[in-house]
Amino acid sequence: MKRYFYRDAAKTQAAVALFGRQEQFNPADYQKYLELEVVQQDDGRFSVWGNFPDDSDLLQDTRRDPERLIPSIRNLADEVREEE
């Protein structure tokens, strides 16, 4: 499993890539989070979290990635952690 963390400008770019197709999308909605965290499972499925200093919101439950969104934003990550 890999965890990708997006902060500052990368957070906005990741939010646009991940959620920009939604009808009610507003990038300002994601500014309240310290960071966006994308958790990619070994089988390619992923979830998205909005992290606060002491808590987090699940923004997208674990799902497959047929649009290949994660490869398109990997290089934007401020931090990557690999876990087993």
Side-chain angles (χ1 to χ4, degrees):
M1 169 174 44
K2 287 189 178 177
R3 296 178 179 271
Y4 299 90
F5 298 88
Y6 302 87
R7 300 178 189 102
D8 304 319
K11 175 177 59 177
T12 301
Q13 291 174 309
V16 169
L18 294 166
F19 303 112
R21 295 182 195 142
Q22 294 177 357
E23 189 174 315
Q24 300 296 325
F25 175 76
N26 182 350
D29 293 343
Y30 300 89
Q31 294 310 307
K32 63 184 175 184
Y33 300 111
L34 177 66
E35 62 192 5
L36 290 185
E37 177 181 353
V38 174
V39 179
Q40 185 178 30
Q41 303 296 325
D42 293 336
D43 64 4
R45 296 176 302 131
F46 73 100
S47 59
V48 182
W49 298 82
N51 293 339
F52 297 108
D54 296 327
D55 200 7
S56 59
D57 289 337
L58 178 62
L59 303 176
Q60 178 181 288
D61 205 355
T62 304
R63 70 173 188 93
R64 299 203 180 279
D65 188 12
E67 297 92 9
R68 303 207 26 88
L69 298 172
I70 301 309
S72 74
I73 62 169
R74 261 187 208 136
N75 63 335
L76 299 174
D78 293 291
E79 181 182 349
V80 179
R81 295 183 200 158
E82 192 159 350
E83 299 176 8
E84 292 190 33

